[in-house]
Amino acid sequence: MHIHIQHETTYRYSTPAKHSFQHLRMTPRNFDGQHIVNWRLDMNIEGRLKETEDSFGNILHHMSAEGPISSIKILAEGDIITFNTNGIITGLAEKIPNILYLRDTQLTRIQPELIDFTYNATRNEVNDLNKCHSLLSSIHDCMLFDNNATTVTTTAYESFSNKKGVCQDFAHIFLTCARFLNIPARYVSGYYVRNDIDRQTAGHAWAEAYIPDLGWIGFDPAHGISPNERYVRLATALDYNGAAPIKGTIVGGLGEDMNISIHIFSPQDPKDTHQLLIQ
Amino acid sequence: MLQFDEMMGANGQPRVAYQNLSQWLNSVDAQWLSSRREQAELLFRRIGITFAVYGSQEATERLIPFDVLPRIISRNEWERLERGLIQRVTALNLFLKDIYGDGQIIKAGIIPADLIYRNPGFCSEMFGRRPPHDVYVHISGVDIVRTDDQNFYVLEDNARTPSGVSYMLENREVMMRLFPELFSLHRVAPIEDYPNELLATLRSVSPPHAAGEPVIALMTPGQYNSAFYEHSFLADKLGIELVEGRDLFVRDDIVYMRTTEGPRRVDVIYRRIDDDFLDPLVFRADSALGVAGLMGAYQAGNVTLANAVGTGVADDKATYTYMPEIIRFYLGEAPILLNVPTYRCREADALTYVLEHLSELVVKEVNGSGGYGMLVGPHASKAQIEEFRLKLRANPDNFIAQPTLALSTCPISVAQGIAPRHVDLRPFVLHGAKNVRVVPGGLTRVAMTENSLVVNSSQGGGTKDTWVIDDVLTEIRPTIS
Amino acid sequence: MLSRTADNLYWLARYMERADFLSRAIEASRRLASLPKTYGGVESEWDSVLLSSGSAESFAASGRPLEEEHVIEYLTFAADNPGSIRNCLYLARTNARAVRTALTVEMWEAINGAFLEMQSFENRRKTTSKEELTHFLEFVKRTSLSYDGGAYRTMLRNDAYWFSRLGLFIERADNTARLLDVKYHVLLPEKESIGGSLDYFQWSALLRAVSAHNAYHWVYRTSMKPWLVADLLILRPEMPRSLISCYESIVRNLDLLARAHSRQGPAQRQARKLHNQLQNLTMENVFQNGLHEFVSNFIVENNQLGLLISEQYLF
């Protein structure tokens, strides 16, 4: 599928900032399931964007700009061709031992209620793959999608207790349970092409688990499926904190107002896709 | 349990190293000694050597009790200790380099992978990265106890931001002011060059770009930190700036400090702030103590952090149990300093044994420190033991257990005269780009109450000056007129 | 040096100077307030101290009655008055503790010792007698003397010293100016004929507040005259608390900084401008254009210099 993404993040400050420093994980990598045709990262003020790679192998940009800054617009835009790999991630250089993905984090700490839940969801399954599928459907079934119930600091346990949250909360619950079963699991941030609308106000998030003999496999508890060609994969880490598209600090500057606009769609005309491929 | 007293032998006679001190003690009366004790306290308070105690609003600045009698170690004992310390810290450093790189020790099956990669002290951000000169543990404070005249045991390898060295130095200064006559009776190895050695160590690990004259700064969480006195003391002795996070900023992966003459580049940061607070962009986002972009500058090789980020995995109590194997693996040598025999509760057999012998063992949390979260079996009540039994069953991985050692005692000055108290020793080891060194002595911590084994200053422990003296017996002679 | 260090030194000096001024002002007011009415003793004296220490508004807001006992408590030990002597010493020590390395042992011991002693004064203040208050005020003056002496005798003459001097002189100029601002009416020339000797005690209290009581006689060798009192506090360079003397020192220290950094800035320009103005001024000019106007304007310009120093050096 040919996917076009235009991801705009705008910060406004009522009192201008003296300096802004951001970490951007907004550049996708190629793997067997996605091919980056073109991609650019840009901002509307003078500043510096330096590309590096973090320890998880994500492309990380250090963005810095001098003030006074009353607003910054960060734009990530490009075309990607995706392929359905049934959720299996191949063709990606793995940088870190799989065992490291068993680490728990502040956001994914196991609690007795989550242990019970994991046990009930997976007790009839013998292999890791089936356990993950059971977890996937159990989380999808018991959690209610709610944009206003949680924030970026909500833990898996908190959202699980309220049975409400957004995609990242679902992913955190999956990670917590999978790791409890000793299955290495990681958080994935990215995009999802919806049928109904092409303008979104947030990216998407899901999880990947490591299954011996198969490798890393994606699980999206928010949709209850494994990722297909509608998914674009941006960054992975132990949890949201390590994979967040934008993480930043400002010096000075008050009254921050942030606005995200993601225009994501699949250009209908197959010729466009063809054009892109031969470019 | 027979206790080894460092001054008095089993025969009631003072040991060789203590002969002069013992004679001298017989010649002074208790009242005079306690007047010196008061003088010492006055000196400490005037200089402002205080220690902030968490959770006590009244006395947020407190003095650590100081005992005026020196603890004595003979030169040949020290030499063995020194070799053991250098060996141990060298191995720790190679271990860190290995686990943040290829992980040979894991591949060789010596340490289980999950003990490393799932260790809370392991820092994923450091994986696959190398700090300047491959040095991780620039400064460590290794806690040592002795049980007899032969054996030294390591209790803990403090490889993060060990503190206490200012007390080591100030204790000596105060002793020299109060007891000049005692110094003339002993040949005490000096420690006053520690700041100089520390500076040389920090200079040696500066990034390549700053080979000539690196700018070094000491980074403190601020004046409300319990060890702030030490931070300002060391900055002063080293002649380097004492900075807080807000004094630093990063531009284009280079660290600067704000000075009255504008930004000044910083090459080496001796940081006394925990990993978690270093950089809000990478670690705790709510940290106001750190510097945004610091890790970027570090990873770009533009600044040296001492100690390196992620050394916590090396001084954790679970890793500790593997230290003998770690030393053999990297150095091919037998360990000179002993490890306290340790039961890893993660192992089923060990757990069974521990649960059966709780009243004889010391049980510690793998990641606890400062004497909190620990059970001293022989001194614990039934209720405390049962409480720990539950904790252990719930989460055995989180605990280790050790037999209670018969810690040595040293004399301290008390109201009634002199009495033995349990002590430990924290020597400070400096690992530079080219060599590893230890100043002779260290901080002796002493449990001020009778029979207590807890020497931590946060729980009422005190300190003593520690003397490494030449073995030659110098007699007290009348001066020749 | 670190900007924060400079900032701490600057404020440390300001707080020490402020504590010293407060203790002198309280002492002078006590003297005045205890005089019989026919000698100029008025209750409004306590209002004046509050005004000149800049805490009149917060005092009123605290709901305390305007009586000697309460004003003194407010200015000495009140924890809720950010400008009380206790808080000045406390803040001075906090600043000092943060920059231990930039202080000499003597300076630190002066501050730290004073802090400990102040706590014991504070603990027994409920039983405070008038005599005890005198002891306390003496103690504060002694503290600032030993701190200042420590700085003068032991500090290296580098930017640490210069910033700390800047703080001291800017605070001192501010204090003198505030005192004049509150008391200007007793110094107007026409007062002499009207009030006559009644105002004598006002003038002498004013001089005591800036420890210039004896200096007056040495400088003028004549009986107390209001415009001479004003002259002494504004234009006499030999008087250490006069505005012009403060500015001489401010300009000198800023010049030393500029030379060491090979860089001049708005702070140097502002200081020179003010110093020039003072040098070219006579008391006739001042009275012609209004003493009150002159002093209020000076306070604003002096504050402005403080801001410029912050911007230029302290971020």
Side-chain angles (χ1 to χ4, degrees), chain B residues 88-250:
Chain B
R88 193 156 172 117
V89 172
T90 306
L92 272 177
N93 201 70
L94 291 169
F95 168 69
L96 284 162
K97 182 183 167 194
D98 183 30
I99 60 167
Y100 284 116
D102 298 347
Q104 295 296 342
I105 197 163
I106 300 163
K107 288 176 186 153
I110 291 171
I111 296 190
D114 70 329
L115 203 117
I116 302 295
Y117 297 130
R118 296 179 71 178
N119 192 308
F122 185 88
C123 174
S124 327
E125 299 301 324
M126 288 299 288
F127 194 80
R129 320 220 180 231
R130 293 170 68 172
H133 307 274
D134 285 333
V135 181
Y136 289 79
V137 189
H138 308 81
I139 299 119
S140 52
V142 182
D143 289 345
I144 286 176
V145 294
R146 64 189 307 184
T147 52
D148 51 46
D149 55 358
Q150 292 300 316
N151 293 313
F152 292 101
Y153 288 92
V154 175
L155 285 184
E156 250 173 63
D157 303 282
N158 296 290
R160 280 172 267 199
T161 54
S163 59
V165 82
S166 60
Y167 296 99
M168 170 181 97
L169 295 166
E170 290 285 45
N171 286 353
R172 177 64 55 84
E173 290 303 313
V174 167
M175 286 296 282
M176 291 178 85
R177 267 160 94 168
L178 291 180
F179 302 103
E181 68 277 18
L182 255 188
F183 282 87
S184 65
L185 294 178
H186 298 87
R187 294 200 175 275
V188 183
I191 50 170
E192 65 190 40
D193 55 338
Y194 177 82
N196 195 40
E197 297 281 311
L198 174 58
L199 189 63
T201 301
L202 294 171
R203 289 175 64 103
S204 76
V205 293
S206 68
H209 76 261
E213 278 300 311
V215 174
I216 305 174
L218 194 157
M219 185 177 179
T220 172
Q223 61 167 312
Y224 300 105
N225 182 271
S226 64
F228 179 75
Y229 168 74
E230 175 157 306
H231 306 162
S232 76
F233 172 89
L234 284 175
D236 196 26
K237 293 281 180 217
L238 268 64
I240 60 178
E241 293 290 357
L242 177 64
V243 300
E244 294 177 20
R246 59 192 160 125
D247 297 320
L248 301 176
F249 65 92
V250 176

Side-chain angles (χ1 to χ4, degrees), chain A residues 19 21 23 48 50 53-56 62 64 66 95-97 99-100 102-103 179 182 238 247-249, chain B residues 113-114 116-120 122 124-127 129 250-253 280-283 292-293 296 299-300:
Chain A
H19 184 81
F21 207 131
H23 275 185
R48 189 161 174 269
K50 189 191 161 211
E53 190 183 281
D54 71 12
S55 297
F56 293 91
H62 293 176
S64 65
E66 297 293 333
K95 304 271 175 180
I96 276 199
I99 292 182
L100 199 135
L102 288 172
R103 287 173 76 83
R179 286 174 193 162
N182 236 9
L238 291 173
K247 222 179 158 184
T249 60
Chain B
D114 70 329
I116 302 295
Y117 297 130
R118 296 179 71 178
N119 192 308
F122 185 88
S124 327
E125 299 301 324
M126 288 299 288
F127 194 80
R129 320 220 180 231
V250 176
R251 292 284 181 279
D252 299 343
D253 287 341
L281 285 176
V282 178
F283 304 110
Q299 289 169 343

Side-chain angles (χ1 to χ4, degrees), chain A residues 59-81:
Chain A
I59 297 172
L60 167 67
H61 285 87
H62 293 176
M63 187 211 96
S64 65
E66 297 293 333
I69 304 166
S70 47
S71 80
I72 316 176
K73 189 187 281 181
I74 298 163
L75 174 74
E77 183 174 21
D79 293 282
I80 293 165
I81 309 285

Side-chain angles (χ1 to χ4, degrees), chain A residues 149-168:
Chain A
T150 57
T151 70
V152 292
T153 57
T154 304
T155 66
Y157 175 65
E158 286 162 357
S159 61
F160 176 78
S161 304
N162 295 324
K163 299 289 180 288
K164 284 180 201 162
V166 294
C167 52
Q168 82 194 30

